[in-house]
Amino acid sequence: MVYLIGTIGFISGFATGLLLLHFMLRHKTNDELLNDPYLKWKYGIINWGLAGFGSYAFVQAYKEYLFLSQ
């Protein structure tokens, strides 16, 4: 069950990261977005970091509040 909660948290964190990147990169041109490798690394790390944090947070919340067999 923890794996399912972690997967849901990862997907939620990734979606949150994409929403955040949408607002952070709205003033960039398509050419900048496609050809600037610095943007890919800088903002890509932010998105994957939020995905990892979402997974961690969901698992910790599951362990704290929903794991009833302790």
Side-chain angles (χ1 to χ4, degrees):
M1 189 66 177
V2 172
Y3 293 114
L4 177 65
I5 298 297
T7 303
I8 292 170
F10 187 83
I11 292 169
S12 298
F14 197 82
T16 303
L18 288 176
L19 183 64
L20 178 66
L21 289 181
H22 172 71
F23 290 109
M24 291 174 71
L25 296 172
R26 67 179 173 226
H27 299 295
K28 301 286 184 187
T29 65
N30 284 341
D31 189 47
E32 285 178 306
L33 293 174
L34 293 174
N35 296 323
D36 190 0
Y38 176 73
L39 288 177
K40 292 177 186 176
W41 278 102
K42 180 181 177 184
Y43 293 106
I45 295 296
I46 291 171
N47 198 25
W48 287 106
L50 280 172
F53 177 73
S55 180
Y56 175 77
F58 270 54
V59 168
Q60 292 303 316
Y62 170 73
K63 286 181 179 179
E64 182 71 27
Y65 299 112
L66 300 175
F67 193 61
L68 302 175
S69 64
Q70 286 184 337

